[in-house]
Amino acid sequence: MSAKTKPAPYGPVRPLAGSRPVEWVREASGEHQGNEHFRTIDSLRLMLKNGTITPPMHDAGQEFSATFARAQLDGPRALALDRIRGGQWCDSMTERTAFARKRIGQALDAVGGIGSPGGSAVWHVAGLGQSIKEWSAQQGWNGRPLSQPEARGILVAALAMLAMHYGYLREAGSKPLDR
């Protein structure tokens, strides 16, 4: 008889359109029974759970993701609510958005620039939330496709450089960070 495997708590992981993995989860909501819904699977969280990346590398990826969202670089946006007819129209970004975009540029420079494999991996996986499979399928270098293990290796290296850039890791022999 084969060994029994522990079933997933609320359903198996399933692919959505574009091969994005999701899982069925149930969340408690106080006095109510809670709600059940699909949750997209975070590639960085899975890599941390599998031991592929370290907690500082995961934290650096999450910081990049949050800054990416503040920089408003993640897809289509709704019209600004301050564009009221009859009012004064202004098409400038906020200082917060501009500062976030500057930080994204600095982070990308730390991993080799947006045109580098590491910059592309961080942009698409940590920034846009693509899976490694999605990114490797659409990405190629020097006219050849990129395999998933290569893509994972590129992302791991880029996250290590990003962790050093954000101060989560330090170079060997350097002084501790003052916070």
Side-chain angles (χ1 to χ4, degrees), residues 25-79:
V25 295
R26 180 180 177 88
E27 294 180 356
S29 61
E31 66 219 29
H32 302 290
Q33 288 184 350
N35 61 21
E36 294 179 347
H37 58 90
F38 279 109
R39 180 185 65 82
T40 58
I41 297 175
D42 178 16
S43 295
L44 297 177
R45 184 185 63 80
L46 281 177
M47 291 175 76
L48 177 64
K49 183 179 174 184
N50 294 335
T52 309
I53 60 174
T54 63
M57 293 162 70
H58 175 265
D59 294 346
Q62 292 297 336
E63 185 170 338
F64 183 88
S65 178
T67 305
F68 196 88
R70 281 192 297 276
Q72 298 177 353
L73 297 170
D74 54 345
R77 292 176 273 297
L79 291 175

Side-chain angles (χ1 to χ4, degrees), residues 116-128:
S116 70
S120 179
V122 169
W123 180 277
H124 288 93
V125 178
L128 293 174

Side-chain angles (χ1 to χ4, degrees), residues 2 47 55 64-65 70 88 95 108 119 123 130 146 172 177-178:
S2 64
M47 291 175 76
F64 183 88
S65 178
R70 281 192 297 276
Q88 197 170 20
E95 287 183 32
L108 289 172
W123 180 277
Q130 291 182 339
L146 190 61
L177 297 172
D178 291 330

